[in-house]
Coordinates of all heavy atoms in Angstrom, one line a residue:
M1 N -19.6 -5.5 -20.5 CA -19.6 -6.3 -19.3 C -18.9 -5.6 -18.2 O -17.7 -5.2 -18.3 CB -18.9 -7.6 -19.6 CG -18.8 -8.6 -18.4 SD -18.1 -10.1 -19.0 CE -18.1 -11.0 -17.6
E2 N -19.5 -5.4 -17.1 CA -18.9 -4.7 -15.9 C -18.4 -5.7 -14.9 O -19.2 -6.6 -14.5 CB -20.0 -3.8 -15.3 CG -19.4 -2.8 -14.3 CD -20.4 -1.8 -13.8 OE1 -21.1 -1.3 -14.6 OE2 -20.5 -1.6 -12.6
L3 N -17.2 -5.6 -14.5 CA -16.6 -6.5 -13.5 C -16.7 -5.9 -12.1 O -16.5 -4.7 -11.9 CB -15.2 -6.8 -13.8 CG -14.9 -7.5 -15.1 CD1 -13.4 -7.6 -15.4 CD2 -15.5 -8.9 -15.1
G4 N -17.0 -6.7 -11.1 CA -17.0 -6.2 -9.7 C -15.5 -6.1 -9.2 O -14.6 -6.4 -9.9
P5 N -15.4 -5.7 -8.0 CA -14.1 -5.6 -7.4 C -13.4 -7.0 -7.3 O -14.0 -8.0 -7.1 CB -14.3 -5.0 -6.0 CG -15.7 -5.2 -5.7 CD -16.4 -5.3 -7.0
Q6 N -12.1 -7.0 -7.5 CA -11.3 -8.2 -7.4 C -11.1 -8.6 -5.9 O -10.8 -7.7 -5.1 CB -10.0 -8.0 -8.1 CG -10.1 -7.8 -9.6 CD -10.4 -9.0 -10.3 OE1 -10.0 -10.1 -10.0 NE2 -11.2 -8.9 -11.4
V7 N -11.2 -9.8 -5.6 CA -11.0 -10.3 -4.2 C -9.8 -11.3 -4.3 O -9.9 -12.3 -5.0 CB -12.2 -10.9 -3.6 CG1 -11.9 -11.5 -2.2 CG2 -13.3 -9.9 -3.6
D8 N -8.8 -11.1 -3.5 CA -7.7 -12.0 -3.4 C -8.1 -13.0 -2.3 O -8.4 -12.6 -1.2 CB -6.4 -11.3 -3.0 CG -5.2 -12.2 -2.9 OD1 -5.3 -13.3 -3.5 OD2 -4.2 -11.8 -2.3
R9 N -8.1 -14.3 -2.6 CA -8.5 -15.3 -1.6 C -7.3 -16.1 -1.2 O -6.5 -16.6 -2.0 CB -9.6 -16.2 -2.2 CG -10.9 -15.5 -2.6 CD -12.0 -16.4 -2.4 NE -13.3 -15.7 -2.7 CZ -14.1 -15.2 -1.8 NH1 -13.8 -15.4 -0.5 NH2 -15.2 -14.6 -2.1
R10 N -7.2 -16.3 0.1 CA -6.2 -17.1 0.7 C -6.8 -18.1 1.6 O -7.5 -17.7 2.5 CB -5.2 -16.3 1.4 CG -4.4 -15.3 0.6 CD -3.3 -14.6 1.3 NE -2.7 -13.7 0.4 CZ -2.2 -12.5 0.8 NH1 -2.3 -12.2 2.1 NH2 -1.7 -11.7 0.0
D11 N -6.7 -19.4 1.3 CA -7.3 -20.4 2.1 C -8.8 -20.2 2.3 O -9.3 -20.4 3.4 CB -6.6 -20.5 3.5 CG -5.2 -20.9 3.4 OD1 -4.8 -21.6 2.4 OD2 -4.4 -20.5 4.2
G12 N -9.4 -19.7 1.3 CA -10.9 -19.5 1.3 C -11.4 -18.3 2.1 O -12.6 -18.1 2.3
Q13 N -10.5 -17.4 2.5 CA -10.9 -16.2 3.2 C -10.6 -14.9 2.4 O -9.6 -14.9 1.7 CB -10.2 -16.0 4.6 CG -10.6 -17.1 5.5 CD -10.0 -16.9 6.9 OE1 -9.4 -15.8 7.1 NE2 -10.2 -17.8 7.8
D14 N -11.4 -13.9 2.5 CA -11.2 -12.7 1.9 C -10.0 -12.0 2.5 O -9.8 -12.0 3.7 CB -12.3 -11.7 2.0 CG -13.6 -12.1 1.2 OD1 -13.4 -13.1 0.5 OD2 -14.6 -11.5 1.5
E15 N -9.1 -11.5 1.7 CA -7.9 -10.7 2.2 C -8.4 -9.6 3.1 O -7.8 -9.3 4.1 CB -7.0 -10.3 1.1 CG -5.8 -9.5 1.5 CD -4.9 -9.1 0.4 OE1 -5.3 -9.3 -0.8 OE2 -3.9 -8.5 0.7
A16 N -9.5 -8.9 2.6 CA -9.9 -7.7 3.4 C -10.4 -8.0 4.8 O -10.4 -7.2 5.6 CB -11.1 -7.1 2.6
S17 N -10.8 -9.3 5.0 CA -11.3 -9.7 6.3 C -10.2 -10.0 7.3 O -10.4 -10.1 8.5 CB -12.3 -10.8 6.2 OG -11.6 -12.0 5.9
E18 N -9.0 -10.2 6.8 CA -7.8 -10.5 7.7 C -7.2 -9.2 8.2 O -7.1 -8.2 7.4 CB -6.8 -11.2 6.9 CG -7.3 -12.6 6.4 CD -6.3 -13.3 5.5 OE1 -5.1 -12.8 5.5 OE2 -6.6 -14.2 4.9
P19 N -6.7 -9.1 9.4 CA -6.1 -7.9 9.9 C -4.8 -7.7 9.0 O -4.1 -8.6 8.8 CB -5.7 -8.3 11.3 CG -6.5 -9.5 11.7 CD -6.9 -10.1 10.4
Q20 N -4.6 -6.5 8.6 CA -3.5 -6.1 7.8 C -2.4 -5.5 8.6 O -2.7 -4.6 9.5 CB -3.9 -5.1 6.7 CG -5.0 -5.7 5.7 CD -4.4 -6.9 5.0 OE1 -3.4 -6.8 4.4 NE2 -5.1 -8.0 4.9
A21 N -1.2 -5.9 8.5 CA -0.1 -5.3 9.2 C 0.1 -3.9 8.5 O 0.0 -3.7 7.3 CB 1.2 -6.1 9.0
A22 N 0.4 -2.9 9.4 CA 0.7 -1.6 8.9 C 2.0 -1.6 8.1 O 2.9 -2.4 8.4 CB 0.7 -0.6 10.1
T23 N 2.1 -0.7 7.2 CA 3.3 -0.6 6.4 C 4.5 -0.3 7.3 O 5.6 -0.5 6.9 CB 3.2 0.5 5.3 OG1 2.8 1.7 5.9 CG2 2.1 0.1 4.3
S24 N 4.3 0.3 8.5 CA 5.4 0.6 9.4 C 5.9 -0.6 10.1 O 7.0 -0.5 10.7 CB 4.9 1.7 10.4 OG 4.0 1.0 11.3
G25 N 5.2 -1.7 10.2 CA 5.6 -2.8 11.0 C 4.9 -2.8 12.3 O 5.1 -3.8 13.1
A26 N 4.3 -1.7 12.7 CA 3.5 -1.7 13.9 C 2.2 -2.5 13.7 O 1.7 -2.6 12.6 CB 3.2 -0.2 14.3
P27 N 1.6 -3.0 14.8 CA 0.4 -3.7 14.7 C -0.7 -2.8 14.1 O -0.8 -1.6 14.4 CB 0.0 -4.0 16.2 CG 1.3 -4.0 16.9 CD 2.1 -2.9 16.2
A28 N -1.5 -3.4 13.2 CA -2.5 -2.7 12.5 C -3.5 -2.1 13.5 O -4.0 -0.9 13.2 CB -3.3 -3.6 11.5
A29 N -3.8 -2.8 14.5 CA -4.8 -2.2 15.5 C -4.3 -0.9 16.1 O -5.0 0.0 16.3 CB -5.1 -3.2 16.6
L30 N -3.0 -0.9 16.4 CA -2.4 0.3 17.0 C -2.4 1.5 16.0 O -2.7 2.6 16.3 CB -0.9 0.0 17.5 CG -0.2 1.2 18.0 CD1 -0.9 1.8 19.3 CD2 1.3 0.8 18.4
V31 N -2.1 1.2 14.7 CA -2.1 2.2 13.7 C -3.5 2.7 13.6 O -3.7 4.0 13.5 CB -1.6 1.6 12.3 CG1 -1.8 2.6 11.2 CG2 -0.2 1.2 12.4
Q32 N -4.6 1.9 13.6 CA -5.9 2.4 13.6 C -6.3 3.2 14.8 O -7.0 4.2 14.6 CB -6.9 1.2 13.5 CG -6.8 0.4 12.2 CD -7.6 -0.9 12.2 OE1 -8.1 -1.3 13.2 NE2 -7.8 -1.4 11.0
E33 N -5.8 2.9 15.9 CA -6.1 3.7 17.1 C -5.4 5.1 17.0 O -6.1 6.1 17.3 CB -5.5 3.0 18.4 CG -6.3 1.7 18.8 CD -5.6 0.9 19.9 OE1 -4.7 1.4 20.5 OE2 -6.0 -0.2 20.1
I34 N -4.2 5.1 16.5 CA -3.5 6.4 16.3 C -4.2 7.2 15.2 O -4.4 8.4 15.4 CB -2.0 6.2 16.0 CG1 -1.3 5.5 17.2 CG2 -1.3 7.5 15.7 CD1 -1.5 6.1 18.5
S35 N -4.7 6.6 14.2 CA -5.4 7.3 13.1 C -6.7 7.9 13.7 O -7.0 9.1 13.4 CB -5.8 6.3 12.0 OG -4.6 5.8 11.4
A36 N -7.4 7.2 14.5 CA -8.6 7.7 15.2 C -8.3 8.8 16.1 O -9.0 9.8 16.1 CB -9.3 6.6 15.9
L37 N -7.2 8.7 16.8 CA -6.8 9.8 17.7 C -6.5 11.1 17.0 O -6.9 12.1 17.3 CB -5.5 9.3 18.5 CG -4.9 10.4 19.5 CD1 -5.9 10.8 20.6 CD2 -3.6 9.8 20.0
W38 N -5.8 10.9 15.9 CA -5.5 12.1 15.0 C -6.8 12.7 14.5 O -7.0 13.9 14.5 CB -4.6 11.7 13.8 CG -3.2 11.5 14.2 CD1 -2.6 11.2 15.4 CD2 -2.1 11.7 13.3 NE1 -1.3 11.1 15.2 CE2 -0.9 11.4 14.0 CE3 -2.0 12.1 11.9 CZ2 0.4 11.5 13.4 CZ3 -0.7 12.2 11.4 CH2 0.4 11.9 12.1
G39 N -7.7 11.8 14.1 CA -9.0 12.3 13.6 C -9.7 13.2 14.6 O -10.4 14.2 14.3
E40 N -9.6 12.8 15.9 CA -10.2 13.6 17.0 C -9.7 15.1 17.0 O -10.4 16.0 17.3 CB -10.0 13.0 18.4 CG -10.7 11.7 18.6 CD -10.4 11.2 20.0 OE1 -10.1 12.0 20.9 OE2 -10.3 9.9 20.1
Y41 N -8.4 15.2 16.8 CA -7.8 16.5 16.8 C -7.7 17.3 15.5 O -7.5 18.5 15.5 CB -6.4 16.4 17.4 CG -6.4 16.1 18.9 CD1 -6.3 14.8 19.3 CD2 -6.5 17.1 19.8 CE1 -6.3 14.5 20.7 CE2 -6.5 16.8 21.2 CZ -6.4 15.5 21.6 OH -6.4 15.2 22.9
L42 N -7.9 16.6 14.4 CA -7.8 17.2 13.1 C -9.1 17.2 12.4 O -9.4 16.5 11.5 CB -6.8 16.4 12.3 CG -5.3 16.4 12.8 CD1 -4.5 15.4 12.1 CD2 -4.7 17.8 12.7
N43 N -10.0 18.1 13.0 CA -11.3 18.4 12.4 C -12.3 17.2 12.4 O -13.2 17.2 11.6 CB -11.2 18.9 11.0 CG -10.4 20.2 11.0 OD1 -10.5 21.0 11.9 ND2 -9.6 20.4 10.0
G44 N -12.0 16.2 13.2 CA -13.0 15.1 13.3 C -13.1 14.2 12.1 O -14.0 13.4 11.9
G45 N -12.1 14.4 11.1 CA -12.2 13.6 9.9 C -11.6 12.3 10.0 O -11.0 11.9 11.0
V46 N -11.8 11.5 9.0 CA -11.2 10.1 8.9 C -9.7 10.3 8.5 O -9.4 11.0 7.5 CB -11.9 9.3 7.9 CG1 -11.2 7.9 7.7 CG2 -13.4 9.1 8.3
V47 N -8.8 9.7 9.2 CA -7.4 9.7 8.9 C -6.9 8.3 8.6 O -7.2 7.4 9.4 CB -6.6 10.3 10.2 CG1 -5.1 10.3 9.9 CG2 -7.1 11.7 10.5
S48 N -6.2 8.2 7.5 CA -5.6 6.9 7.2 C -4.2 6.8 7.7 O -3.6 7.7 8.1 CB -5.7 6.7 5.7 OG -4.7 7.5 5.0
A49 N -3.7 5.6 7.7 CA -2.4 5.2 8.2 C -1.2 6.1 7.7 O -0.3 6.4 8.3 CB -2.1 3.7 8.0
D50 N -1.4 6.4 6.4 CA -0.3 7.1 5.7 C -0.5 8.6 5.5 O 0.2 9.3 4.7 CB 0.1 6.4 4.4 CG 0.6 5.0 4.7 OD1 1.4 4.8 5.6 OD2 0.2 4.1 3.9
D51 N -1.6 9.2 6.1 CA -1.8 10.6 6.0 C -0.8 11.4 6.7 O -0.4 11.1 7.8 CB -3.2 11.0 6.5 CG -4.4 10.6 5.6 OD1 -4.1 10.3 4.4 OD2 -5.5 10.5 6.1
D52 N -0.4 12.5 6.1 CA 0.6 13.4 6.6 C 0.0 14.4 7.6 O -1.0 15.1 7.3 CB 1.3 14.1 5.5 CG 2.5 15.0 6.0 OD1 2.2 16.2 6.4 OD2 3.6 14.6 6.0
F53 N 0.6 14.5 8.8 CA 0.1 15.4 9.9 C -0.1 16.8 9.4 O -1.1 17.4 9.6 CB 1.1 15.3 11.1 CG 0.7 16.2 12.2 CD1 -0.4 15.9 13.0 CD2 1.4 17.4 12.5 CE1 -0.7 16.7 14.1 CE2 1.1 18.2 13.5 CZ 0.0 17.8 14.3
F54 N 0.9 17.3 8.7 CA 0.9 18.7 8.3 C -0.1 19.0 7.1 O -0.7 20.0 7.1 CB 2.3 19.3 8.0 CG 3.1 19.3 9.3 CD1 4.1 18.3 9.4 CD2 2.9 20.2 10.3 CE1 4.9 18.3 10.6 CE2 3.7 20.2 11.4 CZ 4.7 19.3 11.6
E55 N -0.2 18.0 6.3 CA -1.1 18.1 5.1 C -2.5 18.1 5.6 O -3.4 18.6 4.9 CB -0.8 17.0 4.1 CG 0.4 17.3 3.3 CD 0.7 16.2 2.3 OE1 -0.2 15.3 2.1 OE2 1.8 16.2 1.8
L56 N -2.8 17.5 6.7 CA -4.1 17.4 7.3 C -4.5 18.7 8.1 O -5.6 18.8 8.6 CB -4.3 16.2 8.2 CG -4.2 14.8 7.6 CD1 -4.1 13.7 8.6 CD2 -5.4 14.6 6.7
G57 N -3.5 19.6 8.2 CA -3.8 20.8 8.9 C -3.2 20.8 10.3 O -3.5 21.7 11.1
G58 N -2.4 19.9 10.6 CA -1.8 19.8 11.9 C -0.8 20.9 12.1 O -0.1 21.4 11.2
Y59 N -0.7 21.3 13.4 CA 0.3 22.4 13.8 C 0.8 22.0 15.1 O 0.4 21.1 15.8 CB -0.3 23.8 13.6 CG -1.6 24.0 14.4 CD1 -1.6 24.4 15.7 CD2 -2.8 23.8 13.8 CE1 -2.7 24.6 16.4 CE2 -4.0 23.9 14.5 CZ -3.9 24.4 15.8 OH -5.1 24.6 16.4
S60 N 1.7 22.8 15.7 CA 2.5 22.5 16.9 C 1.6 22.2 18.1 O 1.8 21.2 18.8 CB 3.5 23.6 17.2 OG 2.9 24.8 17.4
L61 N 0.6 23.0 18.3 CA -0.3 22.8 19.5 C -1.0 21.5 19.4 O -1.1 20.8 20.4 CB -1.2 24.0 19.7 CG -2.1 23.9 20.9 CD1 -1.3 23.8 22.2 CD2 -3.0 25.1 21.0
I62 N -1.5 21.2 18.3 CA -2.2 19.9 18.1 C -1.2 18.7 18.3 O -1.6 17.7 18.9 CB -2.9 19.8 16.7 CG1 -4.1 20.8 16.6 CG2 -3.4 18.4 16.4 CD1 -4.7 20.9 15.2
G63 N 0.0 18.9 17.8 CA 1.0 17.9 17.9 C 1.3 17.6 19.4 O 1.4 16.5 19.8
I64 N 1.4 18.7 20.2 CA 1.7 18.6 21.6 C 0.5 17.8 22.3 O 0.7 17.0 23.2 CB 1.9 19.9 22.3 CG1 3.2 20.6 21.7 CG2 2.0 19.8 23.8 CD1 4.4 19.9 21.8
K65 N -0.7 18.2 21.9 CA -1.9 17.5 22.5 C -1.9 16.0 22.2 O -2.2 15.2 23.1 CB -3.2 18.2 22.0 CG -3.4 19.6 22.6 CD -4.6 20.2 22.1 CE -4.9 21.6 22.7 NZ -6.1 22.2 22.2
I66 N -1.6 15.7 21.0 CA -1.6 14.3 20.6 C -0.4 13.5 21.4 O -0.7 12.4 21.9 CB -1.4 14.1 19.1 CG1 -2.7 14.6 18.4 CG2 -1.1 12.6 18.7 CD1 -2.6 14.7 16.9
I67 N 0.7 14.2 21.5 CA 1.8 13.6 22.2 C 1.4 13.3 23.7 O 1.7 12.3 24.3 CB 3.1 14.4 22.1 CG1 3.6 14.4 20.7 CG2 4.2 14.0 23.1 CD1 4.7 15.4 20.4
D68 N 0.7 14.3 24.3 CA 0.2 14.1 25.6 C -0.7 13.0 25.8 O -0.7 12.2 26.7 CB -0.4 15.4 26.1 CG -0.8 15.4 27.6 OD1 0.1 15.0 28.4 OD2 -2.0 15.7 27.9
R69 N -1.7 12.9 24.8 CA -2.6 11.7 24.9 C -1.9 10.4 24.7 O -2.3 9.4 25.4 CB -3.7 11.9 23.7 CG -4.8 12.9 24.0 CD -5.9 12.3 24.8 NE -6.6 11.2 24.3 CZ -7.6 11.2 23.4 NH1 -8.0 12.4 23.0 NH2 -8.2 10.1 23.0
V70 N -0.9 10.4 23.8 CA -0.2 9.1 23.7 C 0.5 8.7 25.0 O 0.5 7.6 25.4 CB 0.9 9.3 22.5 CG1 1.9 8.1 22.6 CG2 0.2 9.3 21.2
A71 N 1.1 9.7 25.7 CA 1.7 9.4 27.0 C 0.7 8.9 28.0 O 1.0 7.9 28.7 CB 2.4 10.7 27.5
Q72 N -0.5 9.5 28.0 CA -1.5 9.0 28.9 C -2.1 7.7 28.6 O -2.2 6.8 29.5 CB -2.7 10.0 28.9 CG -2.4 11.4 29.5 CD -3.5 12.4 29.3 OE1 -4.7 12.0 29.0 NE2 -3.3 13.6 29.6
E73 N -2.4 7.4 27.3 CA -3.0 6.2 26.9 C -2.1 5.0 26.7 O -2.5 3.9 26.8 CB -3.9 6.5 25.7 CG -5.0 7.4 26.0 CD -5.9 7.6 24.8 OE1 -5.9 6.9 23.8 OE2 -6.7 8.6 24.8
Y74 N -0.8 5.3 26.3 CA 0.1 4.2 25.9 C 1.3 4.1 26.8 O 2.1 3.2 26.7 CB 0.5 4.3 24.5 CG -0.7 4.2 23.5 CD1 -1.3 5.4 23.0 CD2 -1.2 3.0 23.2 CE1 -2.4 5.3 22.2 CE2 -2.3 2.9 22.3 CZ -2.9 4.1 21.9 OH -4.0 4.0 21.0
G75 N 1.4 5.1 27.8 CA 2.5 5.0 28.7 C 3.9 5.3 28.1 O 4.9 4.8 28.7
V76 N 4.0 5.9 27.0 CA 5.3 6.3 26.4 C 5.3 7.8 26.1 O 4.3 8.4 25.8 CB 5.5 5.5 25.1 CG1 5.6 4.0 25.4 CG2 4.5 5.8 24.0
Q77 N 6.5 8.3 26.3 CA 6.7 9.7 26.0 C 7.5 9.9 24.7 O 8.6 9.5 24.6 CB 7.5 10.4 27.2 CG 7.6 11.9 27.0 CD 6.3 12.6 27.0 OE1 5.5 12.4 27.9 NE2 6.1 13.5 26.1
L78 N 6.8 10.4 23.7 CA 7.4 10.7 22.4 C 8.0 12.1 22.4 O 7.5 13.0 23.0 CB 6.4 10.6 21.3 CG 5.6 9.3 21.2 CD1 4.6 9.4 20.0 CD2 6.5 8.1 21.0
S79 N 9.2 12.2 21.7 CA 9.7 13.5 21.6 C 9.0 14.3 20.5 O 8.4 13.7 19.6 CB 11.2 13.4 21.2 OG 11.3 13.0 19.9
V80 N 8.9 15.6 20.7 CA 8.3 16.4 19.7 C 8.9 16.2 18.3 O 8.2 16.0 17.3 CB 8.3 17.9 20.1 CG1 7.8 18.8 19.0 CG2 7.5 18.1 21.4
R81 N 10.2 16.2 18.3 CA 11.0 16.0 17.1 C 10.6 14.7 16.4 O 10.3 14.6 15.2 CB 12.5 16.1 17.3 CG 13.3 15.9 16.1 CD 14.8 16.1 16.4 NE 15.6 16.1 15.3 CZ 16.1 15.0 14.6 NH1 15.8 13.8 15.1 NH2 16.8 15.1 13.6
G82 N 10.6 13.6 17.2 CA 10.3 12.3 16.7 C 8.9 12.2 16.2 O 8.6 11.6 15.1
F83 N 7.9 12.9 16.9 CA 6.5 12.9 16.4 C 6.5 13.6 15.0 O 5.8 13.1 14.1 CB 5.7 13.6 17.4 CG 4.2 13.8 16.9 CD1 3.3 12.8 17.1 CD2 3.8 15.0 16.3 CE1 2.0 12.9 16.7 CE2 2.5 15.1 15.9 CZ 1.6 14.1 16.1
Y84 N 7.1 14.7 14.9 CA 7.0 15.5 13.6 C 7.7 14.7 12.5 O 7.3 14.8 11.3 CB 7.6 16.9 13.8 CG 6.7 17.8 14.6 CD1 7.2 18.7 15.5 CD2 5.3 17.7 14.6 CE1 6.4 19.5 16.3 CE2 4.5 18.5 15.4 CZ 5.1 19.4 16.2 OH 4.3 20.2 17.0
L85 N 8.8 14.1 12.8 CA 9.5 13.3 11.8 C 8.8 12.1 11.4 O 8.9 11.6 10.2 CB 10.9 12.9 12.2 CG 11.9 14.1 12.4 CD1 13.3 13.6 13.0 CD2 12.2 14.8 11.0
A86 N 8.0 11.5 12.3 CA 7.2 10.3 11.9 C 6.1 10.6 10.9 O 5.9 9.8 10.0 CB 6.6 9.7 13.2
Q87 N 5.5 11.8 11.0 CA 4.6 12.4 10.0 C 3.3 11.7 9.9 O 2.3 12.3 9.4 CB 5.2 12.5 8.7 CG 6.4 13.5 8.6 CD 6.9 13.7 7.2 OE1 7.2 12.7 6.6 NE2 7.0 14.9 6.8
T88 N 3.2 10.4 10.1 CA 1.9 9.7 9.8 C 1.5 8.9 11.0 O 2.3 8.5 11.9 CB 2.1 8.7 8.6 OG1 3.1 7.7 9.0 CG2 2.6 9.4 7.4
P89 N 0.2 8.5 11.1 CA -0.2 7.6 12.2 C 0.6 6.3 12.2 O 1.0 5.8 13.3 CB -1.6 7.3 11.9 CG -2.1 8.5 11.2 CD -0.9 8.9 10.3
A90 N 1.0 5.7 11.0 CA 1.8 4.5 11.0 C 3.2 4.8 11.6 O 3.7 3.9 12.3 CB 1.9 4.0 9.5
G91 N 3.7 5.9 11.2 CA 5.1 6.2 11.8 C 5.0 6.5 13.3 O 5.9 6.0 14.0
V92 N 4.0 7.1 13.8 CA 3.8 7.3 15.2 C 3.6 6.0 15.9 O 4.2 5.7 17.0 CB 2.7 8.3 15.5 CG1 2.4 8.4 17.0 CG2 3.1 9.7 15.0
A93 N 2.8 5.1 15.3 CA 2.6 3.8 15.9 C 3.9 3.0 16.1 O 4.2 2.4 17.1 CB 1.6 3.0 15.1
E94 N 4.8 3.2 15.0 CA 6.1 2.5 15.1 C 6.9 3.1 16.2 O 7.6 2.4 16.9 CB 6.8 2.7 13.8 CG 8.0 1.8 13.7 CD 8.6 1.8 12.3 OE1 7.9 2.1 11.3 OE2 9.8 1.6 12.2
L95 N 6.9 4.4 16.4 CA 7.6 5.0 17.5 C 7.1 4.5 18.9 O 7.9 4.2 19.8 CB 7.4 6.6 17.5 CG 8.2 7.3 16.4 CD1 7.8 8.8 16.6 CD2 9.7 7.1 16.6
I96 N 5.8 4.4 19.0 CA 5.2 3.8 20.2 C 5.7 2.4 20.5 O 6.1 2.1 21.6 CB 3.7 3.9 20.2 CG1 3.2 5.3 20.2 CG2 3.1 3.0 21.3 CD1 1.7 5.4 19.9
E97 N 5.7 1.6 19.5 CA 6.2 0.2 19.6 C 7.7 0.2 20.0 O 8.1 -0.6 20.9 CB 6.0 -0.5 18.3 CG 4.6 -1.0 18.1 CD 4.1 -1.9 19.1 OE1 4.6 -3.1 19.2 OE2 3.3 -1.6 19.9
R98 N 8.5 1.1 19.4 CA 9.9 1.2 19.8 C 10.1 1.6 21.3 O 10.9 1.0 22.0 CB 10.7 2.2 18.9 CG 11.0 1.6 17.6 CD 12.0 2.6 16.9 NE 11.6 2.7 15.5 CZ 11.7 3.8 14.7 NH1 12.2 4.9 15.2 NH2 11.3 3.8 13.5
E99 N 9.3 2.6 21.7 CA 9.4 3.0 23.1 C 8.9 1.9 24.1 O 9.5 1.7 25.1 CB 8.6 4.3 23.3 CG 9.2 5.5 22.7 CD 10.6 5.8 23.2 OE1 10.8 5.7 24.4 OE2 11.5 6.1 22.4
R100 N 7.9 1.2 23.7 CA 7.4 0.1 24.5 C 8.5 -1.0 24.6 O 8.7 -1.6 25.7 CB 6.2 -0.5 23.9 CG 4.9 0.3 24.1 CD 3.8 -0.4 23.4 NE 2.5 0.2 23.7 CZ 1.4 -0.2 23.1 NH1 1.4 -1.1 22.2 NH2 0.2 0.4 23.4
A101 N 9.2 -1.2 23.6 CA 10.3 -2.3 23.6 C 11.4 -1.9 24.5 O 12.1 -2.7 25.1 CB 10.8 -2.5 22.2
R102 N 11.7 -0.6 24.7 CA 12.7 -0.1 25.5 C 12.5 -0.3 27.0 O 13.4 -0.4 27.8 CB 13.0 1.4 25.3 CG 13.6 1.7 24.1 CD 13.9 3.2 24.0 NE 14.7 3.6 22.9 CZ 15.0 4.8 22.6 NH1 14.6 5.8 23.3 NH2 15.8 5.0 21.5
T103 N 11.2 -0.4 27.4 CA 10.9 -0.5 28.8 C 10.6 -1.9 29.2 O 10.5 -2.8 28.5 CB 9.6 0.3 29.1 OG1 8.5 -0.1 28.3 CG2 9.8 1.8 28.9

């Protein structure tokens, strides 16, 4: 007997259909946007919230380009050090949220 995928139901809705908060605490939509942005610069591949920048083939020039796009699109200036320490789209989204809260 083969079982299909398990679905967790809450109040009659599929858990998968509800927006999921990113593990970083940043809004899930922002994490998805940052993941898509990374995908543009990292060989056009799909990037998940917890993928590591360097493991995906990221290097300093790509990091600078992403930081510049973040500044243009989100109005926050991330430090190079902060970006590299964040390592993941979820971490970068959290940095963006912190910078937004400061202004």
Side-chain angles (χ1 to χ4, degrees):
M1 177 178 181
E2 191 173 316
L3 297 175
Q6 296 286 326
V7 176
D8 182 20
R9 297 211 180 258
R10 295 185 183 148
D11 297 329
Q13 294 188 5
D14 292 350
E15 181 180 1
S17 68
E18 298 174 12
Q20 298 295 309
T23 56
S24 69
L30 178 59
V31 174
Q32 290 173 349
E33 290 170 12
I34 299 303
S35 296
L37 176 64
W38 283 29
E40 289 179 36
Y41 288 95
L42 297 168
N43 300 322
V46 175
V47 176
S48 72
D50 296 320
D51 282 343
D52 183 276
F53 178 75
F54 296 105
E55 288 179 10
L56 293 172
Y59 54 89
S60 60
L61 183 57
I62 292 174
I64 298 299
K65 288 179 179 182
I66 292 172
I67 291 169
D68 185 50
R69 282 278 301 275
V70 166
Q72 291 173 13
E73 294 182 17
Y74 298 96
V76 297
Q77 185 62 49
L78 303 179
S79 72
V80 173
R81 181 178 188 274
F83 177 84
Y84 291 142
L85 290 175
Q87 294 183 307
T88 66
V92 170
E94 188 171 338
L95 286 178
I96 292 169
E97 285 295 293
R98 281 191 221 146
E99 289 300 316
R100 284 178 170 171
R102 285 184 173 179
T103 57

